[in-house]
Amino acid sequence: MEIWHNPRCSKSRAAKQRLDDEGVEYTERRYLDDAPTEEELDHVLTLLGKEPWEIARTKEPAYPKLLEHDRAKWIAHMVANPSLIERPIIIDGDKAHIER
């Protein structure tokens, strides 16, 4: 299991605490410091059943207001600007979800 975590985010801290409280073994990926590759993000999006614009943080300065819905362009932009990726994402084998 892996959690894409931002320690400054309260939702992310709460999700990490829940995993700790449940005694779950996981790998913590601070995705702002260790951004996913385009292939990794594409894979996680597939597991989520989402398109990149569906998990983008719209209030971030890097949010592409005029970018067409081209999956590859969005993925490249999100990898270059990982703060756009909604958090936290928990990946468990062939499943993933965004903790709310």
Side-chain angles (χ1 to χ4, degrees):
M1 183 176 292
E2 181 175 73
I3 181 172
W4 289 8
H5 177 61
N6 176 357
R8 294 189 329 246
C9 171
S10 61
K11 288 181 190 175
S12 194
R13 289 192 310 268
K16 189 172 178 287
Q17 185 63 55
R18 183 184 61 77
L19 294 175
D20 290 340
D21 291 348
E22 292 175 3
V24 174
E25 288 189 33
Y26 62 90
T27 301
E28 175 183 332
R29 182 175 192 164
R30 294 190 178 194
Y31 71 96
L32 295 179
D33 300 323
D34 180 17
T37 65
E38 290 181 21
E39 294 79 16
E40 288 172 321
L41 182 54
D42 183 57
H43 176 70
V44 167
L45 286 164
T46 299
L47 294 179
L48 290 168
K50 302 277 186 188
E51 294 295 340
W53 49 88
E54 295 178 305
I55 70 158
R57 298 176 55 81
T58 60
K59 294 183 181 174
E60 289 293 324
Y63 183 78
K65 293 176 180 35
L66 300 177
L67 192 61
E68 62 196 66
H69 282 179
D70 178 306
R71 184 177 174 103
K73 288 180 183 177
W74 270 83
I75 288 172
H77 187 68
M78 292 174 91
V79 166
N81 300 279
S83 64
L84 288 170
I85 301 169
E86 186 60 66
R87 59 188 176 255
I89 296 176
I90 297 176
I91 305 150
D92 187 6
D94 63 351
K95 298 178 285 186
H97 70 277
I98 298 172
E99 193 83 11
R100 304 269 179 198

